[in-house]
Amino acid sequence: MRHKAEEYVRGEAHTNTAEGYFSVFKRGMKGVYQHCSEKHLHRYLAEFDFRYNARAALGVNDECRAVRALAGIPGRRLLYRDSSAGS
C-alpha cells in the first residue's frame, strides 16, 4: 500500500486489518506475557493469530472458540525440556 498516494485498500487487504492484528498482539504481550523470546515468537504469534481469527466480531462465540481450540490439540506437544538434548 502506498499511503503517500492515499492508497489504503487493495482488494480485500486493508491497513486497518494489519493495525488491528498488531494492536491485539501488543496488548497481549504487554498485559499477559510481558516478555517472549525470539525462540518462541512463532508460538506467541500462532496464539494471537487464533485469537484474532476466532474473535467475537467475526461471530465466534465462546463455545465455538473452545471447540476450535480443542480441535487443534491432537498430535501436538510442547515439552518443557527436550529429552533428546540430554540433561
Side-chain angles (χ1 to χ4, degrees):
M1 312 265 174
R2 299 172 307 151
H3 288 119
K4 285 185 178 183
E6 295 187 17
E7 180 184 19
Y8 303 100
V9 177
R10 188 178 297 165
E12 293 198 21
H14 300 258
T15 56
N16 285 350
T17 303
E19 290 171 0
Y21 177 87
F22 283 106
S23 172
V24 170
F25 179 72
K26 286 190 299 187
R27 275 196 311 271
M29 291 309 297
K30 289 180 181 179
V32 177
Y33 298 112
Q34 288 95 38
H35 171 77
C36 95
S37 67
E38 186 176 339
K39 176 181 176 181
H40 296 290
L41 180 60
H42 66 286
R43 291 186 173 101
Y44 288 97
L45 289 171
E47 177 186 342
F48 284 99
D49 186 48
F50 174 82
R51 288 184 187 198
Y52 187 79
N53 290 315
R55 63 192 190 279
L58 295 177
V60 181
N61 63 25
D62 290 341
E63 180 183 355
C64 183
R65 190 176 302 108
V67 169
R68 286 186 187 184
L70 293 172
I73 291 174
R76 297 197 176 157
R77 271 179 46 177
L78 177 61
L79 302 175
Y80 178 74
R81 184 175 297 137
D82 184 3
S83 60
S84 66
S87 295

